[in-house]
Amino acid sequence: MTKLSEEKPAKMCYEHIGGKLGQLLAVTFAEKGWIAKKDPADKHFYITSLGEKEFSKLGLDISQIKSEKT
């Protein structure tokens, strides 16, 4: 069992994972090509075709994510 002092935080910010864990997930998913930006200056990512396949393998139902019209 993990001691309380050794537990790592998984912070929630509104309805998403924030903090260092959220940052690490975003960087890792981008490095794997699961998410990308249309332009490096963009603030937001989109889920790539590869990401759709890989997130599905993890059991994530990305059909729950609404498309954003730009």
Side-chain angles (χ1 to χ4, degrees):
M1 179 173 273
T2 304
K3 294 180 184 176
L4 186 59
S5 63
E6 295 174 353
E7 290 180 351
K8 304 285 187 202
K11 297 179 180 181
M12 295 298 291
C13 181
Y14 298 96
E15 295 181 9
H16 66 271
I17 297 174
K20 188 65 176 178
L21 177 59
Q23 177 190 13
L24 290 170
L25 287 170
V27 167
T28 300
F29 294 157
E31 288 174 348
K32 290 180 175 288
W34 297 10
I35 61 173
K37 294 181 178 184
K38 293 181 185 198
D39 182 293
D42 288 346
K43 180 178 178 182
H44 301 286
F45 291 87
Y46 66 92
I47 299 171
T48 65
S49 296
L50 176 61
E52 288 183 26
K53 293 175 191 168
E54 297 301 324
F55 288 129
S56 192
K57 288 180 187 176
L58 292 174
L60 297 174
D61 179 9
I62 62 169
S63 71
Q64 296 181 39
I65 301 172
K66 297 177 184 172
S67 293
E68 293 185 356
K69 306 288 186 212
T70 55

